[in-house]
Amino acid sequence: MASQLVLSCDGITFSPIIKDRFERDEVDAVLHYLENPSVVDEEAVQMFCDTGYVTDTYRPCYAALKCEEIRGKLRVFIHLTIEGKAKPKFNKDCSPRHKYGTGIVGCDIGTQTIAYTSDTECGLKNLAERGNAISKSERKERVLLRKLDRSRRAMNPENFNKDGTIRKGFKKWAFSKNYITNRRLLSELQRKNSINRHLAIREDVNHIRSLGDIFITESKNAKKLMTKAKETTINEKTGKINRKKRFGKSIKNRCPGYFQSYVE
């Protein structure tokens, strides 16, 4: 189609930048619906009444504005929600990018790893991992967090007790220029790490989908594993109080709940 999808917000008109075939197919599907919406809806209803098959109409449902700070600049995106399944992706040679297998796949999703088995392959790997890039970025994130904590304590000694804990009550905080700069660096690094985790999980899900079409896994509440234990227990061997921390850092760095939502 030669026509272009044009969006308008507060008197400002703009069009999406199409970079590949997948985006072109999505835009063409939306434009096809907008040309004759009543005809497409009637055909979809008639198809469902005759065969019980749900047709993807690609009707624009609603648009949402999302503000995000990227590399120190505030950017505004429009999320367009469309009715129907996403268009398939293809390689440069027009072959399907993702292949779907047949059979049963058993998955055991942990807090940091996943074990899977099928008729053709068995494996055990870490979640949200793409080489050594993510682990190095996570280490940089930890270093920046410690650096910010030292700066915050040096600038606000009156807000901390002698044992290092934060004093209760109303407090005023003063931040140095280096603290503000490092906080922006931390925010940008966390944004990149979040994107890399999501991309790594999607790659793993596409690989598991190539092994079968029936997935058997144990339902877990990943968010519940992040909360601390409420009851205080004592270790019988050492006599010390057990730590109440659970899997907060593992859930944050490996995102098992995000992986499970794709598999289910």
Side-chain angles (χ1 to χ4, degrees):
M1 290 185 181
S3 57
Q4 182 72 14
L5 181 64
V6 179
L7 303 175
S8 177
C9 180
D10 198 14
I12 303 174
T13 59
F14 53 92
S15 301
I17 301 175
I18 300 175
K19 300 179 181 179
D20 53 20
R21 177 179 175 180
F22 170 74
E23 296 178 358
R24 179 75 267 175
D25 293 341
E26 289 283 334
V27 172
D28 289 345
V30 175
L31 292 174
H32 175 70
Y33 175 84
L34 294 177
E35 287 179 355
N36 296 300
S38 59
V39 175
V40 176
D41 289 338
E42 290 178 2
E43 292 178 352
V45 172
Q46 189 64 33
M47 177 70 71
F48 180 77
C49 294
D50 296 341
T51 63
Y53 178 76
V54 179
T55 306
D56 299 329
T57 60
Y58 297 97
R59 174 180 63 87
C61 298
Y62 59 89
L65 293 177
K66 179 183 179 182
C67 298
E68 187 174 356
E69 185 177 355
I70 300 177
R71 293 184 290 275
K73 295 183 179 180
L74 184 63
R75 303 175 186 270
V76 180
F77 298 91
I78 291 184
H79 283 187
L80 187 63
T81 303
I82 302 171
E83 184 181 63
K85 297 180 180 178
K87 289 288 186 179
K89 295 183 178 181
F90 298 92
N91 297 320
K92 293 182 179 180
D93 57 352
C94 297
S95 61
R97 182 178 299 182
H98 305 298
K99 298 180 181 179
Y100 300 99
T102 57
I104 299 176
V105 181
C107 302
D108 184 12
I109 305 174
T111 56
Q112 298 189 41
T113 61
I114 174 175
Y116 60 92
T117 177
S118 65
D119 296 336
T120 58
E121 183 180 338
C122 297
L124 174 65
K125 71 180 303 295
N126 293 332
L127 290 169
E129 191 173 71
R130 305 175 76 191
N132 297 326
I134 294 181
S135 59
K136 291 181 179 179
S137 297
E138 289 174 355
R139 184 182 180 280
K140 292 180 181 179
E141 189 176 331
R142 293 195 299 269
V143 172
L144 276 175
L145 286 172
R146 292 197 298 267
K147 191 173 183 179
L148 290 174
D149 184 66
R150 291 194 300 268
S151 176
R152 187 167 53 249
R153 291 176 181 274
M155 291 292 296
N156 307 274
E158 68 280 359
N159 293 339
F160 295 89
N161 299 321
K162 293 183 179 180
D163 56 356
T165 58
I166 298 179
R167 181 177 58 84
K168 294 183 179 180
F170 176 77
K171 298 175 286 295
K172 289 186 178 180
W173 297 91
F175 302 121
S176 63
K177 293 183 179 179
N178 287 333
Y179 181 92
I180 296 174
T181 302
N182 291 326
R183 187 171 58 183
R184 291 176 180 173
L185 293 176
L186 177 63
S187 177
E188 178 65 16
L189 185 61
Q190 290 175 339
R191 183 188 68 84
K192 292 180 180 180
N193 290 343
S194 175
I195 294 175
N196 285 330
R197 292 188 191 102
H198 288 182
L199 292 176
I201 286 176
R202 291 171 187 174
E203 291 175 357
D204 295 339
V205 170
N206 288 329
H207 175 67
I208 290 180
R209 284 180 175 177
S210 65
L211 302 177
D213 55 351
I214 300 175
F215 303 95
I216 300 176
T217 182
E218 180 184 0
S219 60
K220 294 182 179 179
N221 189 349
K223 189 174 183 180
K224 189 175 181 181
L225 295 175
M226 297 174 61
T227 58
K228 294 183 179 180
K230 295 182 179 180
E231 297 181 0
T232 303
T233 58
I234 299 176
N235 193 327
E236 297 179 356
K237 295 183 179 180
T238 61
K240 295 182 179 180
I241 298 176
N242 294 324
R243 298 179 66 182
K244 293 185 178 181
K245 292 184 179 180
R246 300 186 74 188
F247 305 99
K249 188 177 294 184
S250 300
I251 300 297
K252 181 254 182 184
N253 290 336
R254 294 293 170 249
C255 306
Y258 189 75
F259 182 90
Q260 187 172 1
S261 65
Y262 267 94
V263 173
E264 293 179 349

